[in-house]
Amino acid sequence: MNDKRVVIVGAGLGGLRAAESLRANGFTGTITIVGDEQLQPYNRPPLSKDALKSGLGHDDLKFRQRDSVADVEWVLGEPATALDLDHRTVSLADGKVINFDGLVIATGIRPRLLPIPGPTQGLFTLRTLKDAHALKEAIHPNENIVIIGSGFIGCEVAATATLLGAKVHVVSLDPEPMIMPMGKDLGASMRQRHESKGVVFHLGRTVSSFNGTDHITSVTLDNGEVIPTTVVVEAIGSVTNVEWLDGNGLDLSNGVLVDHTMRVVGTDVPVVAVGDIARHPGVLYPEAPRRIEHWNMPTETGKRAGATLAALMNDQEPAPDSFAALPAFWSDQFDFQVQSYGLPGGADHYKIVSGDYSGPCIVEYFDSDGTLCGVIGIDTVKELMPYRKQFMERLAQSS
Ligand SMILES: Cc1cc2nc3c(=O)[nH]c(=O)nc-3n(C[C@H](O)[C@H](O)[C@H](O)COP(=O)(O)OP(=O)(O)OC[C@H]3O[C@@H](n4cnc5c(N)ncnc54)[C@H](O)[C@@H]3O)c2cc1C
């Protein structure tokens, strides 16, 4: 038994996968996982879908844990407040200080909030199971709900709230929903699919005030329109949970900058970062390191980070191979299944290659030099498999 200790801060999917990978790569020392939520790691994607619709609990959503991590020490319900890299310590909100030999940063992101004047009772965000349960309690049939933001989470909540019987208004500055990854045409087609189910979009608009005394009773849009509502969901993007890392000279300009082994750049101390918070280089995006907030990235980065840290804990060099993971996401809205591989967001141009925008379809996305950089399909999960294979082959060749 190795007498070293690895501390993982952030008890989410990335933290769990890093622990499993440490064990799979031969680390036999102590692993301590610190989390600010009271719960062991659980699956977040259902929070805007099934968990919101039918109130699934932690037992339904908790990740199955491998036997190899059965001996992990859990410190839950305690946020980490500070990191001291020189002394290799993490401080917790309750004053406890934990020493480490190696560290995994896995604290993810939180919803961004707009500085909108007015009361905040009735204002919701969606990141945790607690958030999902609170929002579910607030949604009532035939009553208005206003969602600010028309990205994936905003649109998924719009679909689920409609299925729960609410009258849904989506307010967004964008000209079409989900336009960033999808582009204008597929975004417009998703808007039409939502509209056909009763969702009302207020596009090119933002909310300029929440009205009411203690509790929100209506919102005013920037064109003066007033929408009566007692429930508002802000889903306008995220900020990274990096504050506890301040003062250590790390690059925290957009998450935590790591190298291709997930090792944090700017320190000799063995520290890696995983999941939504890690800004990493990748074979598919050679131009600059990226943060990718997709469900498969905590697993991919967690696997790599665990291998890196296990090597460092054993005084060995991490494997030098490039990081060659394929970004992938899915989204379920009403009975439409969206699936994507690669990086369609930021493409130079796109073309529809199968079906049409009103039904099942596949859209290919290209870089300016004509290279396929991503694909999105609606209700074409099986048909997209050859694209997945093609990307995987490309990754294997270039890594
Ligand atoms: C509502 C919702 C729906 C989603 N749907 C999809 C989907 O359909 N498809 C898809 O591909 N992806 C989806 N995602 C994204 C996916 O769930 C995330 O990419 C994934 O959960 C990221 O894992 P992570 O481990 O990096 O971060 P997280 O799972 O967020 O874990 C980080 C943990 O660290 C904790 N933490 C933060 N600060 C501290 C601190 N200072 N001290 C201790 N602990 C701290 C956080 O509370 C959290 O528990 C969805 C996400 C949400 C929220």
Side-chain angles (χ1 to χ4, degrees):
M1 167 97 178
N2 185 315
D3 60 359
K4 290 188 173 160
R5 167 182 275 184
V6 167
V7 171
I8 299 175
V9 183
L13 177 57
L16 178 62
R17 293 290 181 254
E20 290 169 349
S21 172
L22 276 157
R23 289 289 186 241
N25 286 281
F27 177 68
T28 55
T30 304
I31 300 179
T32 304
I33 302 186
V34 176
D36 61 354
E37 293 182 76
Q38 289 286 358
L39 302 170
Q40 289 194 3
Y42 57 89
N43 203 13
R44 288 183 206 279
L47 299 182
S48 45
K49 311 169 186 91
D50 291 352
L52 186 58
K53 194 158 78 198
S54 45
L56 297 179
H58 185 246
D59 284 349
D60 308 298
L61 301 179
K62 186 179 173 221
F63 290 115
R64 195 181 65 78
Q65 290 179 19
R66 291 172 195 272
D67 292 345
S68 62
V69 292
D71 61 351
V72 158
E73 293 178 359
W74 295 93
V75 181
L76 297 174
E78 274 311 322
T81 50
L83 169 68
D84 182 338
L85 274 183
D86 291 339
H87 296 96
R88 301 196 187 192
T89 60
V90 171
S91 303
L92 307 189
D94 66 358
K96 222 180 275 146
V97 176
I98 308 181
N99 296 295
F100 64 82
D101 299 290
L103 178 72
V104 180
I105 298 170
T107 43
I109 57 178
R110 63 180 182 274
R112 188 159 75 85
L113 286 170
L114 291 167
I116 298 172
T120 53
Q121 278 182 41
L123 177 61
F124 296 83
T125 55
L126 186 55
R127 185 75 199 166
T128 65
L129 188 56
K130 205 168 152 200
D131 295 339
H133 287 169
L135 180 57
K136 180 172 167 44
E137 284 288 294
I139 296 175
H140 298 296
N142 298 315
E143 290 184 9
N144 280 350
I145 156 171
V146 170
I147 297 163
I148 310 176
S150 61
F152 278 98
I153 291 183
C155 287
E156 288 177 358
V157 173
T160 306
T162 304
L163 292 170
L164 288 169
K167 296 180 180 170
V168 178
H169 294 258
V170 176
V171 180
S172 175
L173 277 174
D174 288 338
E176 295 293 356
M178 296 168 282
I179 192 164
M180 208 285 282
M182 289 192 158
K184 204 154 188 255
D185 294 319
L186 199 51
S189 105
M190 289 305 291
R191 171 177 51 74
Q192 284 155 10
R193 290 167 205 251
H194 274 251
E195 285 171 343
S196 73
K197 306 281 185 182
V199 177
V200 178
F201 284 89
H202 305 261
L203 296 172
R205 301 260 75 93
T206 188
V207 170
S208 47
S209 68
F210 299 141
N211 311 315
T213 41
D214 296 328
H215 202 290
I216 298 171
T217 52
S218 68
V219 302
T220 303
L221 307 191
D222 56 352
N223 61 351
E225 187 181 348
V226 175
I227 306 173
T229 187
T230 54
V231 182
V232 176
V233 181
E234 276 202 70
I236 51 145
S238 55
V239 288
T240 53
N241 291 320
V242 292
E243 293 78 0
W244 66 282
L245 301 167
D246 279 346
N248 290 287
L250 305 179
D251 181 341
L252 307 176
S253 52
N254 174 14
V256 180
L257 181 63
V258 297
D259 68 14
H260 62 286
T261 72
M262 302 304 126
R263 191 166 183 183
V264 172
V265 172
T267 176
D268 292 333
V269 178
V271 186
V272 291
V274 299
D276 284 354
I277 199 171
R279 182 158 51 99
H280 55 269
V283 168
L284 274 192
Y285 29 98
E287 63 295 342
R290 287 194 181 212
R291 273 193 331 99
I292 300 177
E293 298 174 14
H294 295 165
W295 191 85
N296 74 322
M297 293 317 274
T299 295
E300 299 289 351
T301 54
K303 272 192 212 161
R304 188 62 189 265
T308 296
L309 202 49
L312 293 171
M313 291 295 92
N314 217 8
D315 299 320
Q316 290 167 354
E317 278 304 306
D321 336 11
S322 309
F323 183 61
L326 174 62
F329 71 79
W330 81 97
S331 175
D332 298 328
Q333 300 171 27
F334 297 106
D335 46 358
F336 315 119
Q337 272 190 301
V338 181
Q339 176 74 53
S340 166
Y341 295 109
L343 288 166
D348 179 74
H349 57 281
Y350 57 82
K351 74 170 181 224
I352 185 164
V353 292
S354 165
D356 62 63
Y357 281 116
S358 61
C361 59
I362 296 177
V363 181
E364 294 180 348
Y365 297 77
F366 301 92
D367 288 334
S368 53
D369 66 1
T371 310
L372 183 75
C373 60
V375 62
I376 301 182
I378 313 288
D379 294 337
T380 50
V381 172
K382 253 206 200 130
E383 294 84 338
L384 284 191
M385 291 319 280
Y387 287 96
R388 184 175 186 281
K389 192 163 169 255
Q390 184 185 333
F391 276 119
M392 294 305 283
E393 282 167 3
R394 228 161 85 190
L395 284 168
Q397 278 158 17
S398 15
S399 59

